[in-house]
Amino acid sequence: MSAAYPTPEPSTDSPSLATARRAGTTEKTHFTAGAPDLLKALVEAERFFDGSADHGCPLHQKILAAIDTVKGCP
């Protein structure tokens, strides 16, 4: 194949995600599959900040917000 017709890169997006992006969807999607494992990982990450000088830093705040978000999932 010549350089004039480059081969497109294969997409790593799921078909539904690619469709949503093309449609301009900005709605947040809640993924509940694996939420208990995600919550466990976030809590472990949050424990890193206990007693740390970085307690309350932007990353710590984002982890706390993510924990609240996952807990709010059905």
Side-chain angles (χ1 to χ4, degrees):
M1 188 172 273
S2 71
Y5 300 102
T7 305
E9 298 270 331
S11 175
T12 57
D13 290 341
S14 67
S16 60
L17 181 58
T19 302
R21 284 189 179 152
R22 282 193 300 272
T25 303
T26 58
E27 181 180 330
K28 290 185 179 182
T29 305
H30 290 281
F31 296 97
T32 56
D37 293 332
L38 177 60
L39 181 59
K40 184 188 293 186
L42 288 167
V43 169
E44 288 296 319
E46 197 276 329
R47 286 185 186 149
F48 170 81
F49 290 97
D50 287 345
S52 166
D54 292 325
H55 193 279
C57 73
L59 178 58
H60 184 222
Q61 294 301 316
K62 287 181 180 185
I63 291 170
L64 292 173
I67 289 171
D68 290 341
T69 299
V70 172
K71 282 184 177 179
C73 288

